[in-house]
Amino acid sequence: LILFQKGQTTTPPPFEIFFCFGEEWPDQKPKEKKLITVQVVPVAARLLLEMFSGELSWSADSIPLQISHPDLKDKMVEQFKELHQLWQNQQRLPQPGPAPA
């Protein structure tokens, strides 16, 4: 950050932190294909970078909270829930007994 502020580098330092849960990472798959990833942006780091770059436009309302878009895995989970509910409903129905003789 200091090198960027002094103009000794043109690339601002990365300040996002990524966490991956339930899978090995890093590996060959991009983070967008991971089951659970969380991106944390320290507000203080972003604020310092904006101060040093002259782009200070920070306010408490500018902090975005985003949840990834539903994809195939999310749809499969919903379908499994529906199938489980159908199976439970089927188990509750009275089963036909033996025919009277």
Side-chain angles (χ1 to χ4, degrees):
L1 183 59
I2 293 170
L3 293 176
F4 180 71
Q5 190 253 345
K6 289 181 177 181
Q8 296 176 0
T9 180
T10 57
T11 308
F15 53 84
E16 296 93 356
I17 303 167
F18 291 93
F19 294 97
C20 178
F21 298 94
E23 295 181 70
E24 289 288 328
W25 189 52
D27 60 6
Q28 301 300 322
K29 289 173 30 177
K31 66 179 174 272
E32 294 80 16
K33 297 290 184 184
K34 292 297 184 180
L35 185 60
I36 300 171
T37 57
V38 176
Q39 177 187 16
V40 177
V41 179
V43 175
R46 188 178 75 191
L47 182 60
L48 286 171
L49 181 62
E50 289 177 357
M51 277 183 359
F52 287 144
S53 64
E55 300 174 7
L56 184 58
S57 62
W58 183 82
S59 73
D61 297 332
S62 70
I63 302 171
L65 178 61
Q66 298 174 345
I67 298 176
S68 55
H69 299 289
D71 62 3
L72 183 59
K73 291 183 287 278
D74 298 321
K75 291 176 184 170
M76 285 176 49
V77 168
E78 289 303 315
Q79 289 174 344
F80 281 129
K81 286 180 182 178
E82 288 176 24
L83 285 172
H84 185 256
Q85 186 66 38
L86 288 171
W87 179 79
Q88 284 182 328
N89 291 341
Q90 186 75 5
Q91 297 300 315
R92 290 185 196 129
L93 294 175
Q95 301 297 320

